[in-house]
Amino acid sequence: MVTSLCPAVDPCCHFPCQHQGVCMRVGLAGYECDCTRTGYFGTNCTSPQLWTRLHDLLKPSPAFYHFVLTHFRWFWDIVNSTFIRDTLMMLVLTVRANLIPSPPTFNSDYGYISWEAYSNVSYYTRVLPPVPENCPTPMGTKGKQQLPDPQLLAERFLRRQKFEADPRGTNLMFAFFAQHFTHQFFKTSGKMGRGFTKALGHGVDLGHVYGDNLQRQHQLRLFRDGKLKFQVVDGEVYPPMVTDAPVHMVYPPAVPKEKQLAVGQEVFGLLPGLCMYATLWLREHNRVCDILKREHPTWSDEQLFQTARLILIGETIKIVIEDYVQHLSGYFFSLKFDPELLFGTQFQYRNRIAVEFNQLYHWHGLMPDSFIIQGEEYSYEQFLYNASMLMDYGVEALVESFSKQSAGRIGGGQTINANVLHVAVGVIKESRQLRLQPFNELALQSSRSCLSKLCLMVTLTPGWSGLVPGLQGSSLPRDGREEEKAAELEELYGDIDALEFYVGLLLEKPQPNGIFGESMVEIGAPFSLKGLLGNPICSPEYWKPSTFGGATGFEIVKTASLEKLVCLNVKKCPYVAFHVPDAAEKNRPQGGGPSTEL
């Protein structure tokens, strides 16, 4: 047992236990660090065991991995055509898996392991326990006794001054997919509290298509041939109106019910880009039902519906891994969705969404400054809740316009359009309500290792780091603006170890030619991969043709892509991708749109 130097303070406020060691207060002034299975020992879990020393000695840095995977295209073209691809993909899926506790450990109410934290899926889980109550400062013992005003932080460090297109060519098709996809499992319950979720599936369950409860699902179903309700406008299928599918949707009072689209997620009426994806998945569900009906004419409506849902879940996971994550990574190595790669390993086929993942995924920097649809520019005011735009332009026109319009960079600071800055302010306030540990603690626990623990956009000033991952800060160019921002941060927080998690992620210097910094990748990737491959359909018990209605349904899952999702459900296939076309790279237009949670 160790005795704290300050008996009036919970010693765990100092975050003494490193490398995911668990701090437990003992008596009035002491603490113990449980270093079990961390690879470290000693009072604070700081002394590496022999195998840990060898592992750390031989393990390349994340910056090195990123460099190799984003260079040497000729080499990766060879690898992608051989069996080595499968071996490397298995490593991609497993190397970070141990960073996500399974089963879950803590939640917003319990900073220690308890049955409630494990069993009550109404809570978001969390990787690290909250900052202990009654600490000297909100961030434990470091920094000032009062954190900076969230609005001030957002205005000074997050608000965009000038639009900067993502150098990787990310477009609004990607931005709206990110928002549409994540809203099936990021559904914070305002009534119960910020630590609670309404998405009890905690993963890819397509609750944003089918609803997050049975009553909503039934209101959206046609109960004939397994299909969802729909309407036909000018020969094209669209979601029904609320008058025909009486689900609760979030629209301004001025929008009558006969003009409110009814879809699985109640906030999707906010943006035409979300309605576009809702329409595509509605069409895909009903298309798959037609295929299943032809192959299984004796099946009931219920079996057709349930099997089609499993197929669409599989399609979603494949598109996310092979199109979405592939683009996001910038890797020349081709990612592969193949659950069988994990069948010979121990893997938990269950997932829980963590508070840290929810916080991390607020990517409002993607949203540029206006929307360009077929050459016509729309402001935020004109775009919000403009459901008629979907049917006026049609799905093809929206897909092509969003695919050709650049999204903004997420990391590096000052990347968020003023119209959605309030969401960032809300994220900062939420992190304080949930007592999230500081950025450095999250970074260190995820095995990140910058020389001064934090890799910010700013250059070195006393006590503050301006490091690109793995590089000396002194090798970076300095300018007056960066020095000024560093000084402002130091003045506001008082200590680098008091910098908040979300703020640190957004201020971190982006990777070369990247959309955000290394910490976003290193902390976020384990959540993403575990959430995707931990889906039940990826388990040995589910991953077989009969689950998906036979060989035909299984093939739909195995061959799914973003392009097929669009082109099989429209009359004329438009340009569709998660990056702007080469012709648009040279002169990317500005544009953008808001969100509640990306």
Side-chain angles (χ1 to χ4, degrees):
M1 182 179 77
V2 177
T3 300
S4 170
L5 297 177
C6 182
V9 174
D10 182 343
C12 294
C13 290
H14 294 271
F15 307 119
C17 306
Q18 302 300 303
H19 304 105
Q20 295 184 315
V22 178
C23 182
M24 182 173 61
R25 188 173 189 175
V26 180
L28 295 178
Y31 72 91
E32 289 181 355
C33 289
D34 186 346
C35 308
T36 305
R37 286 183 290 278
T38 63
Y40 293 80
F41 64 94
T43 302
N44 295 327
C45 307
T46 53
S47 301
Q49 296 174 352
L50 177 60
W51 67 268
T52 305
R53 289 181 184 274
L54 293 174
H55 177 269
D56 291 346
L57 182 66
L58 298 174
K59 181 184 177 182
S61 70
F64 176 80
Y65 281 127
H66 180 78
F67 179 84
V68 171
L69 288 164
T70 55
H71 292 75
F72 317 112
R73 183 190 291 270
W74 62 269
F75 171 76
W76 292 111
D77 286 343
I78 296 172
V79 168
N80 292 333
S81 62
T82 69
F83 70 93
I84 301 175
R85 180 191 179 198
D86 285 356
T87 302
L88 291 179
M89 189 65 207
M90 185 170 67
L91 288 174
V92 168
L93 296 174
T94 58
V95 71
R96 295 185 177 102
N98 64 336
L99 297 177
I100 305 299
S102 184
T105 49
F106 315 110
N107 64 24
S108 55
D109 273 1
Y110 293 89
Y112 51 89
I113 288 180
S114 66
W115 187 255
E116 185 71 9
Y118 162 74
S119 63
N120 192 339
V121 296
S122 296
Y123 287 102
Y124 286 114
T125 187
R126 57 198 304 164
V127 175
L128 296 183
V131 175
E133 293 182 340
N134 303 317
C135 289
T137 73
M139 292 289 105
T141 59
K142 301 291 183 67
K144 298 184 177 182
Q145 292 187 345
Q146 185 171 351
L147 289 168
D149 176 64
Q151 187 69 43
L152 176 67
L153 285 171
E155 292 286 348
R156 287 194 186 180
F157 300 101
L158 304 181
R159 181 174 181 171
R160 175 183 298 150
Q161 304 300 316
K162 181 181 178 182
F163 175 77
E164 179 185 0
D166 170 48
R168 193 169 288 158
T170 301
N171 59 23
L172 292 191
M173 194 69 180
F174 177 94
F176 287 129
F177 186 93
Q179 187 177 14
H180 186 269
F181 168 71
T182 58
H183 268 64
Q184 66 188 299
F185 44 79
F186 293 153
K187 295 195 68 176
T188 300
S189 174
K191 292 182 179 179
M192 295 179 67
R194 304 305 296 174
F196 292 86
T197 176
K198 294 184 289 184
L200 304 184
H202 282 268
V204 183
D205 61 1
L206 271 57
H208 60 327
V209 176
Y210 304 109
D212 58 10
N213 59 72
L214 192 59
Q215 179 185 9
R216 190 176 184 92
Q217 178 199 117
H218 284 182
Q219 290 169 328
L220 292 168
R221 285 176 60 177
L222 188 62
F223 287 105
R224 186 171 67 248
D225 297 333
K227 293 185 176 181
L228 295 169
K229 290 178 180 177
F230 61 94
Q231 62 173 314
V232 178
V233 179
D234 295 331
E236 299 279 5
V237 169
Y238 294 97
M241 296 300 180
V242 169
T243 48
D244 297 313
V247 296
H248 168 68
M249 294 295 295
V250 178
Y251 279 91
V255 180
K257 289 190 178 296
E258 57 269 19
K259 291 187 178 181
Q260 296 183 17
L261 291 176
V263 298
Q265 229 290 1
E266 59 265 27
V267 303
F268 278 2
L270 176 69
L271 296 166
L274 302 179
C275 295
M276 175 197 71
Y277 272 114
T279 301
L280 285 169
W281 285 114
L282 165 68
R283 294 179 182 181
E284 178 66 3
H285 175 91
N286 288 352
R287 185 186 76 87
V288 168
C289 284
D290 285 336
I291 294 172
L292 292 173
K293 178 72 172 178
R294 288 196 297 270
E295 293 218 350
H296 307 283
T298 63
W299 276 15
S300 65
D301 165 78
E302 188 68 18
Q303 188 165 5
L304 290 168
F305 171 82
Q306 297 294 348
T307 304
R309 180 172 186 167
L310 291 175
I311 290 173
L312 264 66
I313 288 172
E315 288 186 79
T316 297
I317 296 174
K318 185 171 190 297
I319 290 170
V320 171
I321 291 176
E322 297 192 8
D323 287 319
Y324 178 86
V325 177
Q326 183 72 59
H327 168 76
L328 197 61
S329 70
Y331 295 165
F332 291 143
F333 170 63
S334 294
L335 302 178
K336 182 180 183 181
F337 173 48
D338 183 359
E340 294 183 23
L341 293 175
L342 295 175
F343 285 0
T345 64
Q346 289 186 338
F347 198 77
Q348 294 277 345
Y349 292 99
R350 189 184 180 191
N351 188 57
R352 288 282 293 276
I353 298 298
V355 164
E356 293 93 344
F357 190 40
N358 190 358
Q359 285 258 319
L360 172 149
Y361 226 116
H362 287 78
W363 291 353
H364 293 80
L366 288 170
M367 295 301 173
D369 298 330
S370 62
F371 302 87
I372 313 296
I373 310 296
Q374 291 194 328
E376 190 76 21
E377 185 171 7
Y378 293 87
S379 68
Y380 277 64
E381 292 75 15
Q382 294 169 314
F383 200 72
L384 287 173
Y385 294 109
N386 191 347
S388 63
M389 184 177 286
L390 174 67
M391 299 176 193
D392 290 344
Y393 281 102
V395 171
E396 294 97 323
L398 292 186
V399 167
E400 183 143 351
S401 295
F402 295 148
S403 294
K404 291 182 176 180
Q405 188 169 358
S406 293
R409 212 168 198 170
I410 296 170
Q414 296 186 316
T415 59
I416 300 177
N417 181 277
N419 287 282
V420 290
L421 194 65
H422 67 280
V423 183
V425 174
V427 177
I428 296 172
K429 290 180 178 179
E430 177 185 86
S431 71
R432 296 175 183 182
Q433 292 174 13
L434 298 175
R435 307 201 316 279
L436 254 66
Q437 291 193 25
F439 176 85
N440 278 342
E441 292 301 320
L442 270 298
L444 288 172
Q445 296 291 0
S446 66
S447 299
R448 297 274 287 97
S449 56
C450 293
L451 297 181
S452 295
K453 295 198 287 185
L454 178 62
C455 309
L456 280 177
M457 65 165 188
V458 294
T459 52
L460 286 173
T461 60
W464 289 83
S465 165
L467 304 178
V468 173
L471 299 179
Q472 291 288 348
S474 58
S475 68
L476 299 176
R478 302 187 182 194
D479 62 48
R481 185 185 66 84
E482 290 180 338
E483 295 280 2
E484 181 181 346
K485 293 297 180 185
E488 288 183 38
L489 281 170
E490 186 171 23
E491 171 62 27
L492 289 170
Y493 280 99
D495 193 306
I496 193 170
D497 286 328
L499 186 68
E500 295 168 274
F501 176 57
Y502 177 65
V503 178
L505 285 172
L506 292 192
L507 295 188
E508 184 176 28
K509 194 178 185 74
Q511 293 174 312
N513 200 38
I515 194 168
F516 39 52
E518 182 182 299
S519 295
M520 189 82 79
V521 177
E522 292 301 306
I523 297 173
F527 291 114
S528 297
L529 295 174
K530 178 66 170 64
L532 294 168
L533 273 297
N535 193 283
I537 72 157
C538 299
S539 68
E541 289 76 16
Y542 280 58
W543 188 251
K544 58 187 71 171
S546 56
T547 299
F548 307 98
T552 301
F554 207 19
E555 189 66 13
I556 292 174
V557 173
K558 289 182 174 181
T559 60
S561 68
L562 176 69
E563 185 175 25
K564 290 182 74 171
L565 172 65
V566 172
C567 294
L568 291 176
N569 291 292
V570 296
K571 292 180 179 178
K572 183 180 179 182
C573 188
Y575 171 74
V576 52
F578 283 144
H579 56 83
V580 294
D582 293 339
E585 286 281 343
K586 299 176 182 177
N587 187 22
R588 298 176 189 154
Q590 293 189 28
S595 160
T596 53
E597 287 181 318
L598 266 179

